[in-house]
């Protein structure tokens, strides 16, 4: 069997090694789902605000009132700390190096 493209160039098929993919895939194709399911994250029962902020969003519906309070306090504290950040340097002075005078 010989393949011919639009310009008339003929191609002979070459057998591929068995460890390579032999199905044609579009160049712009991408995976739309994972082949293996993710390991589920266990529900966190503590009240550490940092740990609660790192939990998946789906776990929030299982949180207790003290967990919500700890989460909101952590979020408020992070927001306050980020808004009070002062710039490290407002002006940088660069002087030319003159080897004759130094």
């Amino acid at each position: 069997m010989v393949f011919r493209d639009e310009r008339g160039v003929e191609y002979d098929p070459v057998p591929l090694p068995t460890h390579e993919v032999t199905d044609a895939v579009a160049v712009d194709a991408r995976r739309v789902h994972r082949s293996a399911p993710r390991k589920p994250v266990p529900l966190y029962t503590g009240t550490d605000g940092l740990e609660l902020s790192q939990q998946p969003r789906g776990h929030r519906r299982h949180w207790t009132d003290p967990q919500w309070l700890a989460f909101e306090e952590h979020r408020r504290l992070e927001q306050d700390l980020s808004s009070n950040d002062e710039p490290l340097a407002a002006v940088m002075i660069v002087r030319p190096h003159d080897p004759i005078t130094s």
Side-chain angles (χ1 to χ4, degrees):
M1 175 186 296
V2 176
F3 296 97
R4 184 177 292 128
D5 66 2
E6 298 169 346
R7 298 173 303 181
V9 178
E10 294 183 352
Y11 299 94
D12 293 322
V14 177
L16 296 173
T18 56
H19 67 279
E20 291 188 13
V21 176
T22 58
D23 294 333
V25 178
V27 174
D28 60 349
R30 55 193 164 100
R31 295 185 71 159
V32 293
H33 73 306
R34 295 182 182 275
S35 58
R38 290 184 180 180
K39 183 179 178 183
V41 178
L43 289 174
Y44 178 66
T45 57
T47 56
D48 180 27
L50 177 62
E51 182 66 31
L52 287 167
S53 67
Q54 295 171 351
Q55 294 295 311
R57 287 171 104 38
H59 288 199
R60 293 181 183 183
R61 61 185 156 179
H62 302 288
W63 286 356
T64 61
D65 288 340
Q67 286 178 318
W68 273 109
L69 289 172
F71 174 71
E72 290 296 329
E73 182 181 351
H74 173 73
R75 188 189 314 187
R76 193 176 315 112
L77 181 63
E78 287 291 320
Q79 188 176 18
D80 290 345
L81 290 175
S82 67
S83 65
N84 292 338
D85 288 341
E86 298 295 327
L88 295 176
V91 176
M92 181 184 291
I93 300 173
V94 178
R95 295 184 179 160
H97 178 69
D98 189 11
I100 297 173
T101 60
S102 48

